[in-house]
Amino acid sequence: MSQINPVTDLTLDGDVAVITLNSPPVNALSAAVRKGLFEAFKQADADGAAKAIVLVCEGRTFIAGADITEFGSAMADPQLADVQEVIEGASKPVIAAIHGTALGGGLEVALCAHYRVAVPSARLGLPEVNLGLLPGAGGTQRLPRVVGVENALSMMTSGRHVPAKEAASLGLVDELVEEGKLREQAIAFARKVVAEGRPLAKIRDQNEKLDAAKGKPEIFETFRKANARKFRGFLAPEYNIRCVEAAVNQPFEEGLATERKLFNELMSGPQSAAQRYAFFAERQAQKIPDVADDTPVIPVNKVGIIGAGTMGGGIAMNFANVGIPVVLIEVKQEALDRGLATIRKNYERTASRGGITADQVEERCGLITGALEMEALADVDLVIEAVFERMDIKKDIFTRLDAICKPGAILATNTSGLDIDEIAAVTKRPESVIGLHFFSPANVMKLLEIVRADHTSKEVIATSMKLAKKIGKVAVLVGVCPGFVGNRILGQRQREAQKLVMEGAMPWDIDRVLYDFGFPMGPFAMSDLAGLDIGWVKERSKGESIRDVLCEMDRRGQKTGAGYYDYDEARNAKPSPVTEQVIKDFIVKTGANPREVTDEEILERCIYPMINEGAKILEEGKAIRPSDIDVVWQNGYGWPVYRGGPMWYGDHVGLPKVLAKMQEFQAKMGDQFKPSPLLEKLVAEGKSFKDL
Ligand code: 3H9
């Protein structure tokens, strides 16, 4: 055996050279990895005793891509393209042996091998689009040659990690091998290739699948149209599509040049910078300074959920999806039956779209049982209370949980803003109490705000963070304050949006500005979707707000065919003359002075107070770092990821500008705009949030 460098070994197993890469955590293509591969492949190719070469990785995964931490600075030699050239140009068969994930540059390396084998649990993909990029190491030219144009477009613009079995059916994997026997079976496969005299299959030379798409530009137009909504605002999907067009219309080398040019454009642009920031921000959020990685975790083998409404049911599905049994508590049988039926319906809908199998529907529904008595929670490891936002009810529930649940069980509340310390105080075990704030629909939304109360133990925090990852959520640890991080910042935007209407902007003006900024919808369209009557009580309504008046007119949102907007049968929204008149009447009634409100003011009034509130949250220690706030807003509130998040955006607009505007608004409109001392301090010191 010879060690090529600290991360690469080369051994001879009989007549097969085996190159082993070991560069934790994910074997990313750092300078050391590139150098190790380059040298190892050259040596193996020159070694007359080796008839084939197998590339295999140690640790949890095959190569998971380029080393993203190297982006933004010049890459040391050898370049990835040099490594790929020695692999593809080898004089003997090269076999990539894949486990874990072969992603981005990792898959692009594997695509230069002459054959690929994988264990069934492996996943393959080109996820660069999620970093605002495109595969820049030939992936855009090689993938369509293997899987065809349509499949390549779909894989590259979604970044999906394709399971090995599916990859095999697409031709991306030549043979599936047994789990745990990758190395030996890859070597056996290599011997078979040699024995059968199979060719050195170079993907670059395979054009049949591209020929099938030649002269059919409609393939691309149809794809663009079908995904227009999903891609809106993002540059990278369109650039990925253009590269596949180049694969079809240009010879291989020219296609590579097009890929390189478009890759460089994306890499140097602001969108990719924001998306790469988002990647690391999400991972950084998992690190809690005073909760060590090795903090013991509480095994969670059974979960109880109180409340079988939309929220409770959605939460339950998260656990059933990963095989954890759930007991769902309701007060009345009817409500319980309704909750369980909704869960089944949701799973069946997913199955009908091919997301899961009919067996999985049964399996998952079978994991969720119902009960009418809280005593059924005696043996659960975690309870999540998901009932009305009323402190008295929550306190009553937690008093009872304290008496019923076993010692050490985690007692969580899904409150979206109530004081969790007050809730914890009714128990004799405040160390076990935590907030787990899911977002609706809880089975879909990625964000989980984990709310640390004064006495929450480190074990409970560590367990909640790990559990969040297990159920596929993006978790952010926040502190107790009204609305926590997400809703507290949202409150600023909502207040300004309402005020702007009284100053002369129409709801659709405000929605348009925020939509164009990149949000999936503006606050008024959102209200119409959710229902204007959430929290509205008919008997007590006295026309004191525009919302009251609209609800009194039975304009309660999409469900009644009208709200701020008018809706047609297909639920398409149109600005409403009725709403406009209601607003005008209301302005007259309150004696407000409407004026022309510019789009620029709408944006600044809605967004800058959010940045300012984020600064206050940091000052109070309710979020650990600015990027955590951004992770909350990207994953729970539709902040366009290519604009980083409110704090990142603040840094990029320039904090002096944000501060100056807040001061201007404060002078005109009062202390709601009072700048946070942290914002003032950062500006005075010439710093930005990223310096914190
Ligand atoms: C690319 O390849 C461009 C090419 O086309 C062109 C080149 C010319 N680099 O996610 P985890 C770190 S673009 C550096 O928690 P998991 C990560 O920060 C790349 N570091 O683990 C974390 O560090 P820490 C295309 C990376 O098991 C640790 O590894 N590839 C990279 O949940 C563990 O990560 C991708 O976009 C990287 N490429 O998930 C794949 N990847 O512990 C990106 C990870 O200090 N990676 N780290 O916080 C992933 O999707 C997931 O990490 C993976 C593992 C699925 C692999």
Side-chain angles (χ1 to χ4, degrees), residues 258-330:
T258 301
E259 176 192 274
R260 177 107 318 253
K261 179 176 162 290
L262 294 179
F263 178 83
N264 288 339
E265 259 183 55
L266 287 176
M267 179 65 100
S268 56
Q271 289 207 353
S272 176
Q275 288 178 258
R276 281 180 273 137
Y277 159 80
F279 176 85
F280 287 112
E282 215 175 271
R283 280 152 185 88
Q284 179 84 350
Q286 308 317 303
K287 300 182 173 70
I288 315 301
D290 68 330
V291 180
D293 266 359
D294 58 356
T295 304
V297 294
I298 301 159
V300 175
N301 298 317
K302 188 173 178 190
V303 173
I305 293 168
I306 307 176
T310 314
M311 192 45 109
I315 297 174
M317 292 171 75
N318 287 296
F319 293 100
N321 292 350
V322 295
I324 300 178
V326 178
V327 50
L328 206 52
I329 306 289
E330 256 300 344

Side-chain angles (χ1 to χ4, degrees), residues 569-585:
E569 267 144 32
R571 294 209 168 182
N572 294 311
K574 260 198 342 251
S576 167
V578 179
T579 302
E580 189 163 345
Q581 196 54 51
V582 167
I583 292 170
K584 285 183 174 153
D585 292 347

Side-chain angles (χ1 to χ4, degrees), residues 25-26 28 60-61 64-69 71 75 80 101 103-106 108 127-128 131 133-137 161 260 263 279-280 283-284 287 469:
V26 295
R60 68 217 244 199
T61 180
D67 186 340
I68 309 170
T69 58
F71 287 176
M75 278 201 194
L80 187 50
T101 45
L103 299 176
E108 292 174 294
E128 285 87 344
L131 299 168
L133 293 172
L134 53 86
H161 300 181
R260 177 107 318 253
F263 178 83
F279 176 85
F280 287 112
R283 280 152 185 88
Q284 179 84 350
K287 300 182 173 70
K469 182 155 187 180

Side-chain angles (χ1 to χ4, degrees), residues 133-182:
L133 293 172
L134 53 86
T140 68
Q141 305 304 297
R142 289 191 179 87
L143 187 70
R145 285 176 157 80
V146 182
V147 304
V149 164
E150 276 102 339
N151 288 323
L153 285 173
S154 147
M155 277 180 69
M156 285 163 49
T157 57
S158 68
R160 195 165 70 88
H161 300 181
V162 176
K165 209 168 147 205
E166 185 186 340
S169 73
L170 290 171
L172 201 50
V173 165
D174 297 289
E175 192 164 287
L176 290 172
V177 299
E178 271 175 82
E179 217 69 65
K181 295 192 177 162
L182 178 61

